[in-house]
Amino acid sequence: MSEGAATAATVATAAGTAPLRERNGGQILVEQLRIQGVKRVFLVPGESYLPCIDALHDHQDAIQPIVCRQESGAGYMAEAHGKLTGEPGICFVTRGPGATNASIAVHTAYQDSTPMILFVGQVGNDFAEREAFQEIDYRRMFGQMAKWVAQIDRTERIPEFIARAFAVATSGRPGPVVLALPEDTLWGKASVPDMPRYQRARSAPAPAALDALQTLLAGARRPFLLVGGSGWTAAALRDLETFAERFDLPVGVAWRRLECFDNHHANYAGHVGWGMDDALRARIRDADLLIAVGTRMGEATTEGYTLVQSPLPRQTLVHVYPDAGELGRVFRAELPIAADVVSFAAAAAALRPAAEPAWRGLARAAHAGFLAHQQARPAPGPLNLDRAACVVRERLPRDACLTVGAGNYALFPHTYYRFQGPGTSLAPTVGSMGYGLPAAISAKLEYPQRTVVCYAGDGCFQMNLQELGVAMQYRLGIVLLVFNNGMWGTIRAHQEREFPGRTIALEFDNPDFAALVRAYRGHGEVVQSDAEFGPALERALAFAQEHSLPALIEMRYEADGIAPGQTLSGIRAAALAQRAPAAVP
């Protein structure tokens, strides 16, 4: 024991408290995670943080280590855990290549406002600045994609840094924290007290702001409530429903935030952003009062900052957001309110209209418009993905969780499925590919009794298909729907729109996905028609539940059917028509 540690232990004994134990850095760190309530960590083991791996051995009763196959998968699982629970998802990766692989999940957590902590092994301080084996300056590498990036250079400061990491990841606008762990810090020893469990900082709306909101509502004729962001709880959504019901507000959910309002609710108007129907777009465009709660209203939600114009929206804007620094940054709001969604929803639920709202019936009409677009659209070929999405909607229980990565295939569940609240949808608003399978694994670990279905494009799935090994190892009965059209479909649509008839570098040969999942002890089928899909889905769900192993349905369909109500041939024809020379009179 060092002289300083011995002195600290002596003081503790003299004060009548238990003497501090000398522990190495890995032991101190993992014990802090336990104190902070961590129950699961996702990792790809590496020699750069061996003391942490060893310390996990002593906490198996409280912390479950999930051994992943690649760091991007591990990072995605941690990010999905943060979305599901509101608590920081924890990921450990080794230095250098491990960190670069995990960076995609950090970027996702940043743009999706998800609490997450990434621990990265680092060369010892005695080797620093020599470009030692796998050495990277993580402050420079992660600086623009994390809320806080730091390196713990002293063993005795580990508790301080961990407590701060949890506070930063969850406060204001939630997001990722990256902590580098030099080897000498982890192997070093110290006698240091633990930090208590963190307390989440809350920001509530001021009474004057609530009075101003009621005044704006009283003068409105066509209001609209737009909900998104992170940090929602079931209780907060019930409060928001109360607010929407009392004021008869139509409610839309921001891009890929479909879990932020019950899609079955009579006030639900639809999914706002790319791919929305014209009637919903018109409701938001023509609204005289737009109340945006929890959402940044990014590019996808605002359709390139046109539906809600930046910097000065055409609608009177009330913007509620937990980070005051975000308010006024992109949109000038008539009423900016710095408040987290839980606190705002509780306050809004207590408001009551002074008189019958002038727009009575607007919410009912908006919900009727949403339901009118729930009927499957025509599509080319024997397997209609619109009808398949409706089959999924009718078959799954309401608390099922659907996950997606990125691609036009995701428009099918987002158009037809009706999500119910927190934990029913996991989708990266940043549009990162390879997310669906790791997210489904994380959801099944957190909610083992729930049905979990992953939608994945053939390209998207192959970015992290190795994580099927995690589903096999931990006996996770997830169902995967793999959309096989043999190409990068979204990019093909963009090429046809911008360079019609000149597509290149888009197609690829695929493996037999159904056979592949069987190599992971799972169940696999190929479907090519509407008649085959329903029975195959039933078999997949039954297998996953009975055997606690993954089940996969490979959906081979006509590639021309690129999105609900859209075909590639139609996109090409429209683009060519725009480029045709005008007729000479």
Side-chain angles (χ1 to χ4, degrees):
M1 182 182 297
S2 66
E3 181 179 346
T7 301
T10 301
V11 171
T13 302
T17 60
L20 297 175
R21 295 182 295 114
E22 184 179 67
R23 299 166 288 176
N24 69 34
Q27 293 169 325
I28 296 171
L29 191 154
V30 173
E31 288 191 23
Q32 304 317 298
L33 296 183
R34 181 167 185 162
I35 291 169
Q36 300 302 335
V38 172
K39 63 181 180 181
R40 186 173 301 117
V41 298
F42 303 92
L43 73 156
V44 176
E47 73 276 11
S48 61
Y49 65 96
L50 276 177
C52 296
I53 299 173
D54 177 74
L56 285 169
H57 190 276
D58 297 327
H59 296 275
Q60 296 177 73
D61 60 321
I63 301 176
Q64 180 187 23
I66 304 298
V67 182
C68 305
R69 302 318 189 248
Q70 209 257 16
E71 291 86 359
S72 66
Y76 277 147
M77 291 178 206
E79 195 277 346
H81 180 89
K83 273 193 174 81
L84 288 166
T85 67
E87 301 291 335
I90 306 299
C91 182
F92 280 86
V93 299
T94 197
R95 62 196 177 209
T100 54
N101 283 340
S103 64
I104 188 172
V106 176
H107 185 220
T108 300
Y110 188 79
Q111 287 219 339
D112 283 39
S113 304
T114 305
M116 173 184 172
I117 302 175
L118 177 69
F119 293 100
V120 185
Q122 176 63 298
V123 301
N125 283 290
D126 51 342
F127 287 175
E129 301 294 342
R130 294 176 177 172
E131 196 182 347
F133 182 61
Q134 299 180 336
E135 180 183 2
I136 294 178
D137 183 341
Y138 298 115
R139 292 185 181 92
R140 293 170 60 195
M141 174 181 168
F142 288 103
Q144 287 190 313
M145 67 174 85
K147 288 188 70 177
W148 180 41
V149 186
Q151 182 165 300
I152 312 177
D153 288 326
R154 297 180 65 87
T155 305
E156 63 270 20
R157 295 192 67 185
I158 290 175
E160 170 195 348
F161 274 71
I162 300 303
R164 180 177 171 185
F166 275 82
V168 170
T170 57
S171 64
R173 175 185 172 183
V177 168
V178 179
L179 290 181
L181 308 172
E183 289 192 66
D184 52 322
T185 299
L186 295 181
W187 286 96
K189 295 184 177 181
S191 298
V192 61
D194 297 322
M195 290 286 287
R197 184 165 182 172
Y198 82 103
Q199 296 293 318
R200 188 186 303 268
R202 294 289 185 190
S203 54
L210 295 172
D211 291 342
L213 173 59
Q214 275 212 261
T215 299
L216 289 172
L217 280 165
R221 292 296 180 269
R222 299 179 305 280
F224 193 92
L225 177 59
L226 178 62
V227 184
S230 59
W232 289 97
T233 64
L237 287 187
R238 286 193 296 271
D239 285 339
L240 197 74
E241 288 174 6
T242 299
F243 172 58
E245 289 164 4
R246 283 191 180 145
F247 287 86
D248 198 33
L249 297 170
V251 183
V253 291
W255 171 253
R256 291 192 158 203
R257 297 295 195 181
L258 294 111
E259 74 281 7
C260 289
F261 198 82
D262 186 353
N263 298 182
H264 302 85
H265 195 280
N267 290 55
Y268 182 68
H271 183 202
V272 178
W274 291 328
M276 80 178 109
D277 66 82
D278 291 338
L280 178 57
R281 182 181 295 107
R283 288 185 185 281
I284 301 171
R285 183 191 62 230
D286 298 337
D288 59 355
L289 178 62
L290 178 62
I291 306 170
V293 181
T295 173
R296 293 188 299 114
M297 294 184 294
E299 178 188 355
T301 299
T302 62
E303 294 188 322
Y305 308 102
T306 59
L307 187 65
V308 183
Q309 293 178 343
S310 173
L312 189 62
R314 66 172 67 87
Q315 308 91 338
T316 297
L317 175 63
V318 176
H319 197 181
V320 182
Y321 202 74
D323 185 354
E326 187 69 30
L327 296 171
R329 186 172 73 87
V330 180
F331 302 98
R332 189 270 180 189
E334 179 71 20
L335 177 59
I337 301 177
D340 64 75
V341 295
V342 172
S343 300
F344 174 80
L351 300 179
R352 294 179 180 274
E356 179 79 2
W359 57 86
R360 181 65 69 184
L362 194 64
R364 187 180 304 109
H367 187 62
F370 162 70
L371 293 177
H373 285 80
Q374 290 283 285
Q375 301 300 315
R377 297 160 176 77
L383 177 58
N384 183 319
L385 300 185
D386 301 71
R387 293 197 193 103
C390 292
V391 170
V392 173
R393 180 186 69 208
E394 300 306 321
R395 173 60 184 82
L396 298 190
R398 283 196 174 188
D399 67 348
C401 178
L402 268 64
T403 73
V404 303
N408 275 23
Y409 69 88
L411 292 172
F412 292 96
H414 290 170
T415 298
Y416 295 107
Y417 197 77
R418 296 173 194 166
F419 299 87
Q420 185 161 313
T424 59
S425 172
L426 288 173
T429 66
V430 71
S432 50
M433 300 188 75
Y435 182 87
L437 174 57
I441 289 170
S442 195
K444 195 65 175 177
L445 285 165
E446 186 65 21
Y447 302 119
Q449 301 308 315
R450 287 194 187 183
T451 299
V452 178
V453 176
C454 167
Y455 274 71
D458 47 358
C460 189
F461 176 62
Q462 291 184 85
M463 289 193 176
N464 266 317
L465 67 80
Q466 73 282 345
E467 303 307 329
L468 281 173
V470 178
M472 175 184 69
Q473 179 175 344
Y474 294 92
R475 301 302 297 257
L476 304 175
I478 59 176
V479 174
L480 301 102
L481 306 180
V482 176
F483 291 71
N484 184 358
N485 61 4
M487 65 179 178
W488 297 111
T490 301
I491 309 307
R492 170 73 182 274
H494 285 305
Q495 282 199 343
E496 293 287 13
R497 189 174 293 113
E498 303 298 334
F499 303 100
R502 292 178 54 81
T503 59
I504 190 172
L506 295 171
E507 297 181 354
F508 43 77
D509 286 337
N510 279 322
D512 183 337
F513 293 113
L516 180 66
V517 75
R518 288 194 286 270
Y520 287 92
R521 303 179 197 150
H523 168 81
E525 292 190 47
V526 175
V527 301
Q528 301 184 74
S529 69
D530 292 347
E532 295 173 337
F533 179 73
L537 179 63
E538 293 292 343
R539 288 189 291 270
L541 291 168
F543 176 91
Q545 181 177 7
E546 181 180 353
H547 298 281
S548 298
L549 286 167
L552 183 151
I553 300 175
E554 179 184 338
M555 305 174 70
R556 298 178 184 171
Y557 62 100
E558 173 55 56
D560 193 38
I562 193 64
Q566 285 190 309
T567 61
L568 290 171
S569 56
I571 294 172
R572 176 188 290 186
L576 289 172
Q578 287 184 342
R579 287 160 174 75
V584 178

